[in-house]
Amino acid sequence: SSSLAAAAAATSAAIDAAKAAAAEQGDVVKALKAAKKDGKATKEEVDAAVAVLLALKAAAVELETGVSAAAAAPVHSRFLCSRLLLLRLVLRRLARGVHQ
């Protein structure tokens, strides 16, 4: 019984963490969209950030429901994986720009 309660608490913590990560990424998307309006970000950067946001939201839903978003939409998941790789590249470039 106590191990079941511990597992439920761990799952609850993971769901909360996934939701928090999605909320944080939502803020990143908003900031990039604003930067794009000012010419300081590209459409590709915004698209990559949105792809990460969608992946984080899907992870949160999967943790809550136990249903994999990837199983429901395998083509979309492959698209998200390619977008995640692109985002890593963009984030590295942005980090270099900030530290120069």
Side-chain angles (χ1 to χ4, degrees):
S1 176
S2 64
S3 63
L4 188 58
T11 301
S12 179
I15 291 168
D16 291 346
K19 286 181 178 181
E24 186 176 318
Q25 185 63 22
D27 293 339
V28 170
V29 169
K30 288 176 193 171
L32 280 172
K33 284 184 176 184
K36 183 178 178 275
K37 287 182 183 179
D38 296 335
K40 295 179 182 176
T42 65
K43 180 182 182 319
E44 290 77 18
E45 290 169 329
V46 173
D47 289 348
V50 169
V52 170
L53 176 59
L54 293 173
L56 290 170
K57 286 182 174 183
V61 168
E62 184 175 343
L63 286 170
E64 279 187 306
T65 64
V67 176
S68 170
V75 173
H76 184 66
S77 296
R78 287 192 297 269
F79 172 77
L80 286 178
C81 288
S82 67
R83 288 300 193 179
L84 286 171
L85 292 173
L86 176 62
L87 179 65
R88 287 183 188 152
L89 174 65
V90 168
L91 291 175
R92 285 186 194 131
R93 288 183 182 171
L94 288 174
R96 280 191 294 232
V98 169
H99 297 293
Q100 289 181 351

